[in-house]
Amino acid sequence: MATERTRTTPVARVLQVCLHLLVAGLLALAVARAVFADRGGDPAAVAAAATAMAAVYAVGPQLAAVRRSRRAAALWLVLLGVTWAGVLVATQDGVWLAFPLYFLELHLLGRRGGLVAVALTAAAAIAAWSWHQHSFSLAASIGPALGAAVATATVLGYQALYRESEERRRLIDELTAARADLAAAHHAAGVTAERERLAREIHDTLAQSLSSIQLLLRAAQRALPERTEAAAGYVEQARQAAQDNLDEARRFVRALTPPALDGDPLPVALERLCATTTAQTGLAVKLHVSGDPVRLPAAHEVALLRIAQSALGNTVRHAKASCAEVTLSYMEGEVALDVFDDGAGFEPAAVAGRTGGDGGFGLPSMRARARALGGTFTVESAPGEGTAVAVQLPAGPAGPAVPEPEAAS
């Protein structure tokens, strides 16, 4: 039997069945010895006492109160003890039933109450045996006492093992929950990192190109209706910028490298960027390449191209500059990109930590790209003195040399 305080395990259920069989077998043996061996007392009295005890024992496990309440279990054990006393009076073979009673008492009454009940049961068994033998001997007390000790050690040992098993189960449950929480946290962190990456990509590509389209369309609007040919040129440039935007949007879907880098080394992609910026905005942008160009890891080339796009986009929108210079320097173990303009400049401390809004995402985005690859990012500017953006990245494994763009100077 099991109370609500202890979950019934398969092992416990097997022990319960064995205990029931043991009680039934001992009662049947006592009756059989009284009837057939003429050594267990009056057969009728033994049979009546055994039947009463069997009936009380059979009813107890069926009562929900006995399974749920320690007080109800104690009342049932008292009634069972009374019927057992009847068996003890009827036959000395009733002493054998003390052994299964030990297990019941220890299981249902808890450690303290169970030990007290076991001691009283052992004393009753010894007294009954001595009464039937008309004498007391130390040898007669060894059996019940030893049985009580074995039952106590068995039950307490099982309970200790059960508690340890439950503690391990609890720890495993906590570990499983912690692993689930950790996986959820990693997933959330991955989602956040991916959102930040996409935000940087969109700002450095689509948003910059859309800004260029807006400037071109405004220029076309100002040229109309007097200068239709100039307006048509602005519109054509805006159309080309929209096509580039479409290529970028498709790249996001395909998760491929930027179209500006497809099959081309970084210097060629930067030269194309400078030429496109000049054609679309009228800002004179020049590219300088120093050192021996080598092919960098794809992530480094993408980051440098995106930083150059974002820096030039900021120059076009905010600096009111007449010219800009992009310098790509290949050095021993690292590569550097510098973007300088002669525009209005600003106070870097005034925009530090600002994100979102009108143009506030560019600098944090560039800084995040550089730091993600183990590089450094700096901005030098002052009102009226232009702006210089510098990024340095570890070059990584050196690739084959690549030719410089023809227009580089």
Side-chain angles (χ1 to χ4, degrees):
M1 291 171 295
T3 68
E4 287 187 344
R5 297 178 299 274
T6 303
R7 294 189 308 162
T8 301
T9 63
V11 174
R13 287 193 290 270
V14 171
L15 293 176
Q16 290 172 13
V17 172
C18 292
L19 188 63
H20 299 335
L21 294 176
L22 179 60
V23 172
L26 291 175
L27 287 173
L29 180 61
V31 173
R33 281 171 57 85
V35 173
F36 299 107
D38 194 21
R39 296 178 57 187
D42 180 41
V46 173
T51 302
M53 184 176 181
V56 173
Y57 184 86
V59 170
Q62 310 305 319
L63 298 177
V66 173
R67 296 193 300 270
R68 298 176 181 175
S69 171
R70 182 166 293 178
R71 177 175 297 181
L75 293 176
W76 175 66
L77 285 174
V78 169
L79 183 58
L80 186 64
V82 171
T83 57
W84 175 57
V87 176
L88 283 177
V89 172
T91 174
Q92 62 184 10
D93 294 340
V95 174
W96 300 336
L97 289 161
F99 190 68
L101 288 178
Y102 296 151
F103 287 98
L104 285 174
E105 292 160 351
L106 289 168
H107 182 69
L108 294 177
L109 299 180
R111 177 175 296 184
R112 182 176 300 178
L115 291 175
V116 173
V118 165
L120 294 176
T121 301
I126 295 172
W129 179 267
S130 301
W131 178 69
H132 281 287
Q133 297 296 321
H134 304 291
S135 65
F136 172 80
S137 64
L138 183 60
S141 63
I142 292 178
L146 185 60
V150 171
T152 300
T154 302
V155 171
L156 294 182
Y158 172 79
Q159 290 176 349
L161 290 175
Y162 179 82
R163 286 192 298 270
E164 182 178 352
S165 175
E166 284 295 291
E167 179 65 16
R168 290 183 178 179
R169 182 190 62 79
R170 185 185 64 80
L171 292 176
I172 291 173
D173 290 343
E174 291 180 356
L175 178 60
T176 302
R179 292 180 62 180
D181 292 342
L182 182 61
H186 284 171
H187 175 72
V191 170
T192 301
E194 183 63 11
R195 286 176 177 173
E196 292 177 354
R197 186 189 71 82
L198 289 177
R200 291 195 300 268
E201 291 288 329
I202 292 172
H203 176 273
D204 295 345
T205 56
L206 301 182
Q208 302 288 4
S209 184
L210 288 173
S211 178
S212 298
I213 293 173
Q214 185 183 41
L215 293 174
L216 290 169
L217 293 178
R218 285 179 179 175
Q221 185 180 33
R222 288 193 299 268
L224 291 174
E226 291 83 4
R227 297 183 294 137
T228 56
E229 292 184 1
Y234 290 136
V235 171
E236 174 59 25
Q237 293 178 15
R239 188 202 64 78
Q240 183 59 47
Q243 180 62 46
D244 293 340
N245 251 10
L246 180 60
D247 292 339
E248 291 291 348
R250 287 172 175 169
R251 183 188 66 81
F252 291 151
V253 176
R254 298 193 306 266
L256 298 177
T257 56
L261 277 172
D262 284 345
D264 291 329
L266 179 61
V268 175
L270 288 174
E271 176 63 27
R272 186 182 300 116
L273 172 64
C274 294
T276 301
T277 303
T278 299
Q280 292 180 352
T281 67
L283 175 68
V285 183
K286 295 183 179 180
L287 173 67
H288 304 275
V289 179
S290 64
D292 296 326
V294 295
R295 200 62 187 253
L296 302 172
H300 290 59
E301 294 194 343
V302 169
L304 292 173
L305 178 61
R306 291 297 185 237
I307 291 173
Q309 286 176 319
S310 184
L312 289 177
N314 287 344
T315 298
V316 171
R317 284 187 296 169
H318 306 299
K320 299 179 182 180
S322 61
C323 66
E325 294 185 358
V326 178
T327 303
L328 179 65
S329 304
Y330 291 92
M331 297 172 285
E332 184 68 26
E334 65 179 9
V335 60
L337 177 73
D338 299 277
V339 181
F340 170 78
D341 67 67
D342 62 352
F346 63 97
E347 287 289 350
V351 298
R354 209 177 71 199
T355 60
D358 186 11
F361 194 85
L363 294 178
S365 171
M366 290 184 273
R367 182 176 291 104
R369 286 184 182 278
R371 289 180 177 176
L373 297 175
T376 60
F377 176 83
T378 58
V379 178
E380 295 181 3
S381 183
E385 298 183 8
T387 301
V389 172
V391 58
Q392 289 184 328
L393 298 179
V402 297
E404 297 186 14
E406 296 181 358
S409 59

